Amino acid sequence: MKKKIVFIVGALTLPRCIRRIEAFYEAGYDIKVYGYSRGVNMLNEYDSNIPIENLGKLKNGSGYVSKVYNLYKDVNYIIKNNKGALFYLISAPLQSYFFLNKKCEFINEISDIRYAYPKFRIFEPILKFLDRKLIKKSFLTILTSEGFKKYFFKDNNIENIIVQPNRVSSKINLFQNIKSFEIKDSLETINFGFVGSIRFNAVYNFAEIIGKNFPKYKFHFFGDSPFPEKFVKLSNKYSNIYYHGVFKSPDDLSTIYSKLDIVVSCYDIEAKNVRIAEPNKLYEAMMYKTPILVSKFTFLERQVNKYNCGYSVNVSSKADIIDFVENIKMSDINITSRNIENIDSEIYIENHKNIFSYLNKYL
């Protein structure tokens, strides 16, 4: 009989969290999910048979001490009601620290190093130290980027770490609604777009440059944002910028990517987390045969170069962005799309073989 897996989820409606949990459910594990609402990605849903207890809305911003105390109470409540279970902390960095002093087994998934941003620099050494302790104590730690592993342990081999990039859902039917490579005509317009949670200044700045300097080109925003009015205002200011709002993943992705020639995945590189992360957009772009544009000086740029699936630009330089847009041609996009067509689907389709093999070996 498989051990019960109890998930503690920091943001219930994140597509990555849903995919991970449903994979365990479909593999036959006895699971229970506890988690929080964050007010974004609300269209995304779980399989109706998965037992979920919503612990309420977790707000960003003020009231930090009160929030930490409430999270501590929630963790104690969950552990008390699920004795002997294997706890899986996913997108729950604050909650994970409480497990340093708990006598129970846990899996910790790290998809974002939230203290690796400039405003938290003073806290980075101590929180990195705690995360290293947490990793060593965990039954298993899952990292969504090889860059994270190097950040914590350089090139050292740590037995209880699995790098599981945030690939595309295996539920997507590869033979339906996924566009194959096709030659695009050298039309007057090129459609750029961002797909996902819109929160980086680099994306806003790139779109504004398109709006102001390249009226024949278009920029599309697909997704939710903590401050949507900022992007709505930009779309109202420029007739070639479009804010489409929230979408359902993965249901709407095929339609979205069919409208794009280049997906812009440029993030602010001042943050160390951004420089070492490996976002899901890399694999989404591969799936939908769409060239990706990323920030220079990042681990993501290395991956794009490795697979020859897109381009990079120095997002800190307006001149570099303008130079890129002025010189990109539809013929370049066609060549890159052809390269993507030849990438093996095992590179970008998610599977959980390594995780389940580890569990079967050690449980």
Side-chain angles (χ1 to χ4, degrees):
M1 183 177 178
K2 293 180 178 177
K3 195 177 186 79
K4 183 177 182 180
I5 311 289
V6 173
F7 288 88
I8 303 177
V9 186
L12 278 169
T13 51
L14 281 180
R16 175 179 54 85
C17 299
I18 295 174
R19 292 200 307 274
R20 190 78 77 239
I21 291 167
E22 289 189 341
F24 274 76
Y25 173 74
E26 289 163 7
Y29 283 90
D30 177 17
I31 69 172
K32 175 69 185 287
V33 180
Y34 296 86
Y36 301 88
S37 299
R38 298 302 289 262
V40 294
N41 300 303
M42 298 305 290
L43 294 179
N44 300 327
E45 299 173 339
Y46 288 81
D47 184 300
S48 60
N49 294 310
I50 294 176
I52 298 173
E53 183 171 334
N54 192 322
L55 298 170
K57 188 168 183 178
L58 197 60
K59 296 181 179 179
N60 296 316
S62 60
Y64 184 80
V65 173
S66 175
K67 180 167 72 173
V68 171
Y69 176 67
N70 288 329
L71 293 176
Y72 177 74
K73 288 200 304 181
D74 289 341
V75 168
N76 285 339
Y77 162 76
I78 293 167
I79 292 174
K80 180 180 178 181
N81 285 278
N82 297 277
K83 294 187 182 299
L86 175 62
F87 298 91
Y88 191 135
L89 298 114
I90 177 171
S91 192
L94 280 175
Q95 295 91 321
S96 65
Y97 293 136
F98 300 133
F99 278 77
L100 280 168
N101 297 313
K102 301 295 183 183
K103 294 181 179 179
C104 50
E105 289 185 314
F106 64 92
I107 297 172
N108 187 32
E109 180 165 331
I110 300 176
S111 62
D112 195 18
I113 303 175
R114 301 192 181 186
Y115 50 82
Y117 286 86
K119 65 179 180 179
F120 300 119
R121 187 169 292 136
I122 191 173
F123 301 108
E124 183 180 357
I126 183 64
L127 293 175
K128 182 178 180 180
F129 171 77
L130 291 175
D131 265 343
R132 283 168 56 92
K133 286 192 67 174
L134 200 68
I135 290 168
K136 291 177 179 178
K137 185 186 176 186
S138 70
F139 173 78
L140 171 65
T141 289
I142 295 168
L143 305 175
T144 60
S145 171
E146 185 71 31
F148 292 163
K149 185 178 179 182
K150 292 181 182 297
Y151 170 78
F152 286 118
F153 299 105
K154 298 184 178 178
D155 291 321
N156 296 327
N157 183 40
I158 309 298
E159 185 179 352
N160 68 327
I161 285 179
I162 290 176
V163 176
Q164 181 83 6
N166 190 10
R167 297 185 172 100
V168 177
S169 171
S170 58
K171 287 187 174 183
I172 295 178
N173 188 336
L174 292 178
F175 305 103
Q176 188 175 11
N177 297 325
I178 305 298
K179 66 180 182 182
S180 296
F181 169 74
E182 57 183 35
I183 295 289
K184 296 179 180 178
D185 297 328
S186 296
L187 303 175
E188 284 297 308
T189 190
I190 292 177
N191 284 281
F192 296 88
F194 180 86
V195 184
S197 179
I198 317 166
R199 53 196 174 94
F200 287 97
N201 289 328
V203 175
Y204 179 92
N205 294 339
F206 189 99
E208 188 172 39
I209 287 171
I210 295 292
K212 183 177 181 179
N213 299 280
F214 300 94
K216 68 177 183 178
Y217 292 164
K218 298 177 182 178
F219 194 100
H220 301 265
F221 287 107
F222 293 96
D224 207 348
S225 173
F227 31 84
E229 62 283 348
K230 178 178 180 179
F231 299 93
V232 171
K233 186 177 180 180
L234 190 66
S235 67
N236 290 335
K237 183 177 181 180
Y238 298 105
S239 61
N240 59 334
I241 295 181
Y242 307 87
Y243 179 77
H244 301 279
V246 297
F247 63 89
K248 189 173 183 179
S249 178
D251 305 50
D252 299 332
L253 290 178
S254 181
T255 300
I256 289 171
Y257 276 90
S258 70
K259 301 178 187 299
L260 301 180
D261 299 308
I262 294 178
V263 59
V264 178
S265 192
C266 295
Y267 306 121
D268 306 334
I269 61 170
E270 292 81 7
K272 189 180 297 181
N273 182 72
V274 170
R275 298 197 297 271
I276 61 178
E278 190 172 356
N280 169 258
K281 295 305 136 194
L282 172 66
Y283 300 105
E284 254 183 32
M286 290 181 186
M287 162 71 86
Y288 294 102
K289 313 300 183 290
T290 305
I292 187 170
L293 178 65
V294 304
S295 301
K296 280 187 177 294
F297 319 117
T298 61
F299 179 76
L300 181 56
E301 180 191 23
R302 287 170 50 190
Q303 295 297 83
V304 168
N305 292 338
K306 175 181 176 180
Y307 294 112
N308 198 12
C309 61
Y311 323 99
S312 61
V313 66
N314 181 359
V315 294
S316 301
S317 169
K318 179 180 178 180
D320 281 12
I321 294 173
I322 290 175
D323 182 67
F324 171 80
V325 178
E326 283 181 340
N327 288 284
I328 192 70
K329 298 178 177 62
M330 194 61 77
S331 58
D332 301 323
I333 296 171
N334 285 330
I335 290 170
T336 305
S337 296
R338 171 66 77 187
N339 293 336
I340 299 172
E341 180 82 12
N342 294 325
I343 296 175
D344 193 309
S345 64
E346 289 188 1
I347 300 296
Y348 53 81
I349 297 294
E350 191 166 60
N351 74 69
H352 293 80
K353 292 178 184 176
N354 289 343
I355 296 175
F356 293 145
S357 294
Y358 188 96
L359 294 179
N360 292 336
K361 180 179 179 179
Y362 290 106
L363 282 183

